[in-house]
Amino acid sequence: MSNKKEKKLLDEVRDIMRLHHYSIHTERTYIEWIKRYVQYHHMQTREDLQHGEEKVEEFLTHLAVNREVSPSTQNQAMNALVFLYKKVLKTPMEKEINAVRATKKLNVPVVLTREEVRQIIGLLQGVPQLIVKLLYGSGLRISEAVRLRVQDIDYRMKSLTVRSGKGAKDRVTTFPESLVPLLQNHLEKVKLLHEQDLARGYGEVFLPNALARKYPNACKEWGWQYVFPSRGLSRDPRSGKIRRHHVDPSVVNKALKTAARTLGLTKRISAHTFRHSFATHLLERGTDIRTIQALLGHKDVSTTMIYTHVLQQGGLGVQSPLDDL
């Protein structure tokens, strides 16, 4: 019997995902969906995975009807199972999957006023404050902010390069000039930390895809280091190497919850709220919707158009008749 047949299903999924350079986040997400799929059908052997179309259809319908998941969550589960059958089991599903689709809702994003943004940022300190300023000042996702590398910042052009954003696409967005001295001061401390790591025999950083093989020394170069490194070193779950990863997004969200509680805000805010506020406030200033689409990295302008709903004060911009009394 070959090693491939002896290997456990989830181990094989991990190996193939790493071969195709999927991110660790996507790997963990796909593994979790495959586990839930197997548990739902009480599968014990690989033979139980046969006739995938019917079983996947039943599972996706269960998610929509019983679990009431969002369309994006249902699609995520579908992508994980398609990967399982096509790439791992080598039995791509030929029949159409006619599962009940999750109900798509138009959710107007939570947006802060400029004064609320100012108050929250004023209560934050250190790295969480710097990151939130980037979220609001450049329209970044939290994952994009924490993954920034030193070389991605162009002070002269006042721009940030977002590498492998959503959809694995790069884009360039604006960089707030007011953040230059603060960030430079922060990076002086980060560089000192990096030099200390190098002196101790560490100092490597994770490089995406095949860059580590193409540029074997780049992992220790200053330009490739994370702008917001974690406090401590940790073992890479894939390579086993000891590295300094980027700061965890939960650090920012915890600080935001504390600030919102202090201010007594009833809005449910998160790091993503500042990306929404960035787009909405640009619209208020008259920035073209296509420009905002490019800055945010949206594939379709219809996604960006959601922010026009926020600008329609009241119900579709109509003043209440009560105010005329």
Side-chain angles (χ1 to χ4, degrees):
M1 186 177 292
S2 68
N3 291 333
K4 186 174 180 180
K5 290 184 179 179
E6 294 174 355
K7 191 174 295 183
K8 292 183 178 180
L9 177 66
L10 295 183
D11 289 337
E12 191 173 344
V13 172
R14 289 188 185 93
D15 289 347
I16 295 176
M17 292 194 76
R18 292 174 187 183
L19 181 66
H20 288 83
H21 306 298
Y22 281 79
S23 71
I24 187 69
H25 175 73
T26 303
E27 176 185 313
R28 288 169 177 166
T29 301
Y30 277 25
I31 290 291
E32 185 59 32
W33 278 120
I34 292 170
K35 281 182 181 179
R36 292 175 65 176
Y37 172 66
V38 169
Q39 290 168 358
Y40 174 78
H41 286 293
H42 307 289
M43 297 175 177
Q44 301 294 327
T45 65
R46 293 204 180 201
E47 285 69 30
D48 295 335
L49 290 163
Q50 294 179 1
H51 309 294
E53 291 89 346
E54 293 84 357
K55 293 175 181 177
V56 168
E57 185 174 301
E58 181 184 341
F59 178 65
L60 294 178
T61 298
H62 160 72
L63 292 179
V65 176
N66 301 322
R67 305 297 297 176
E68 297 182 342
V69 301
S70 67
S72 60
T73 300
Q74 191 184 39
N75 288 337
Q76 188 182 71
M78 177 67 176
N79 292 337
L81 297 177
V82 167
F83 179 87
L84 170 66
Y85 280 93
K86 184 177 180 180
K87 299 293 186 180
V88 181
L89 301 177
K90 305 298 183 183
T91 55
M93 292 176 282
E94 303 293 341
K95 300 178 184 178
E96 186 177 356
I97 305 297
N98 294 312
V100 174
R101 303 303 296 171
T103 304
K104 189 170 184 178
K105 300 176 182 178
L106 178 62
N107 295 316
V108 178
V110 175
V111 172
L112 299 169
T113 65
R114 286 181 172 82
E115 179 60 19
E116 287 170 337
V117 171
R118 186 191 65 77
Q119 290 177 334
I120 291 174
I121 289 178
L123 289 176
L124 300 176
Q125 295 179 343
V127 169
Q129 186 188 67
L130 274 176
I131 292 177
V132 171
K133 284 185 174 181
L134 273 176
L135 301 179
Y136 178 67
S138 302
L140 303 182
R141 300 177 177 89
I142 182 64
S143 59
E144 295 169 345
V146 298
R147 292 173 185 167
L148 274 178
R149 314 271 182 160
V150 173
Q151 63 187 8
D152 294 334
I153 305 171
D154 192 326
Y155 298 104
R156 294 183 64 185
M157 297 297 292
K158 300 176 186 176
S159 65
L160 288 178
T161 301
V162 178
R163 308 286 182 185
S164 300
K166 194 171 183 179
K169 294 181 179 179
D170 294 355
R171 75 177 190 279
V172 177
T173 187
T174 184
F175 177 68
E177 188 174 2
S178 61
L179 206 54
V180 171
L182 295 174
L183 201 56
Q184 288 179 334
N185 181 59
H186 165 76
L187 286 176
E188 287 179 7
K189 300 174 184 176
V190 174
K191 190 170 186 179
L192 179 61
L193 182 63
H194 175 56
E195 291 171 351
Q196 291 173 348
D197 285 346
L198 289 172
R200 294 166 56 199
Y202 301 112
E204 285 192 24
V205 71
F206 169 77
L207 293 184
N209 301 333
L211 285 175
R213 294 193 299 272
K214 189 174 182 180
Y215 305 108
N217 297 319
C219 59
K220 292 187 177 182
E221 292 177 1
W222 169 236
W224 281 102
Q225 302 305 304
Y226 289 118
V227 174
F228 302 108
S230 61
R231 288 187 176 183
L233 298 170
S234 59
R235 187 177 299 276
D236 189 297
R238 292 179 169 179
S239 66
K241 292 185 177 180
I242 303 297
R243 295 183 174 129
R244 191 176 294 277
H245 201 50
H246 58 66
V247 68
D248 194 276
S250 64
V251 172
V252 178
N253 280 315
K254 287 178 182 177
L256 286 174
K257 287 183 179 179
T258 301
R261 193 181 307 117
T262 301
L263 291 171
L265 293 180
T266 56
K267 295 178 180 178
R268 297 188 62 181
I269 70 169
S270 66
H272 210 65
T273 306
F274 291 85
R275 175 174 160 89
H276 293 322
S277 301
F278 164 84
T280 304
H281 295 168
L282 284 182
L283 272 177
E284 287 179 337
R285 285 169 47 185
T287 306
D288 179 76
I289 192 73
R290 293 285 183 179
T291 300
I292 298 174
Q293 176 193 359
L295 293 174
L296 293 176
H298 286 162
K299 182 179 180 180
D300 196 312
V301 72
S302 63
T303 306
T304 317
M305 290 295 291
I306 188 64
Y307 298 109
T308 62
H309 292 273
V310 181
L311 295 183
Q312 296 171 343
Q313 298 178 359
L316 299 178
V318 177
Q319 183 178 6
S320 170
L322 181 64
D323 295 333
D324 293 333
L325 296 180

